Structure formats: C-alpha cells, structure tokens
Amino acid sequence: MQKLINKYFKNKTDSVHIQFFRYIFAGGFAAIVDVGFFMILAKSFSIDYRIAVFLSFTLGTITNFILSNAFIFDRKTLSLWTAIFRHYASSIGGLATNEAVLIFLIGTAKFDSLFFSKIIATGAAVLVNFTLIKYFAFNSNIKIIKQNVYE
C-alpha cells in the first residue's frame, strides 16, 4: 500500500498518467479556490461575472502553480520565476476556455445559475490547462532565444 501511495502521490515522475492523476487533485483544490472566490466576488461584492472570473481564475492559478510545482511537475533547470511566468502564460489558455464557456452559458444559453455555469466552465478548462502547463510551463527543453536586433 505504501508503495502505491509513494508512486501516485509522493515520488517524482515523468509519467503523464500519474501527473494527470495528481493534477486532478491539485486542479480540484485550485478549482475550489477559483469557484469559491468567484462566488464571493459575484454574489457578495456584486462584481460583474466577466471581471470576477478573471480575478478568481488568477487566484486559482496561483494555487495551481504552488501545488503543481511542489507535487506534480519537476522544474528541472527552470528558475522559479521562469516557471511562474510560463505557468501563468499557459493558464491564459484555460482562462480563455473558462471565460468563453461562461459567457456562452450565461449570455447565450441564458443559464441562470452562476455556480453551475462556473463549474461547467472550469471543467472545460482542465484538459487545456494540464496540457499547456505540462508541455510548456514545466518544460525545461524549451529555450527562449534572445536575438540582438542591432546585429
């Protein structure tokens, strides 16, 4: 049993399946932060849902980065700031998915539940987020080439 716990929750791994399994937990916790903060902003503070989704997604992304960095992906040679920047940049794909689905459900399909619309939108963004974060944010093989424009 301890061997399974170590394999699926503790040991560093490059296995996409184990990383995705861990991401479901980390992403689930980040989603709770995201949805909870969204509901507080939209309902308690009456902030427009299109703005609240951006703010709550940002807090969820920070939560997701902390958990991804600690338990899922290995930064290898990437600096912390490079990983943070790439993670946030990758999350823009998830934010775009989240925002588009939310606007569609509330604005076009006329769903009257912010909570269930946000849950559906967050679920739609999971695969987009995982893929971008795994293959861009924590990929130490990607090098940004700096070119001197004056040469």
Side-chain angles (χ1 to χ4, degrees), residues 3-150:
K3 190 175 180 179
L4 281 175
I5 290 171
N6 288 342
K7 179 179 179 180
Y8 284 97
F9 293 101
K10 290 184 179 180
N11 298 342
K12 292 286 185 181
T13 183
D14 287 328
S15 167
V16 175
H17 297 95
I18 293 173
Q19 288 175 339
F20 187 71
F21 176 79
R22 291 176 184 178
Y23 188 80
I24 295 300
F25 287 99
F29 184 74
I32 290 168
V33 170
D34 179 9
V35 172
F37 196 58
F38 173 78
M39 293 306 295
I40 290 168
L41 291 173
K43 292 292 188 179
S44 298
F45 293 103
S46 299
I47 294 175
D48 185 272
Y49 74 89
R50 291 166 291 217
I51 295 169
V53 73
F54 172 77
L55 297 172
S56 68
F57 194 85
T58 298
L59 187 59
T61 297
I62 291 166
T63 303
N64 189 296
F65 174 78
I66 291 167
L67 295 173
S68 293
N69 187 55
F71 301 111
I72 303 169
F73 303 112
D74 187 0
R75 281 191 290 123
K76 296 182 176 46
T77 59
L78 289 178
S79 74
L80 178 63
W81 291 111
T82 298
I84 289 170
F85 173 77
R86 287 183 181 185
H87 187 92
Y88 198 83
S90 297
S91 294
I92 292 172
L95 174 60
T97 303
N98 202 307
E99 186 89 22
V101 171
L102 196 61
I103 289 171
F104 170 77
L105 291 174
I106 294 170
T108 305
K110 303 298 182 198
F111 273 42
D112 60 352
S113 172
L114 278 178
F115 178 76
F116 287 115
S117 296
K118 178 63 174 155
I119 294 294
I120 293 167
T122 300
V126 168
L127 192 56
V128 172
N129 272 347
F130 175 78
T131 303
L132 290 172
I133 289 167
K134 171 155 180 65
Y135 294 107
F136 177 68
F138 286 93
N139 188 344
S140 61
N141 294 323
I142 296 174
K143 304 290 183 213
I144 307 285
I145 299 171
K146 295 180 182 178
Q147 183 176 4
N148 188 343
V149 293
Y150 299 107

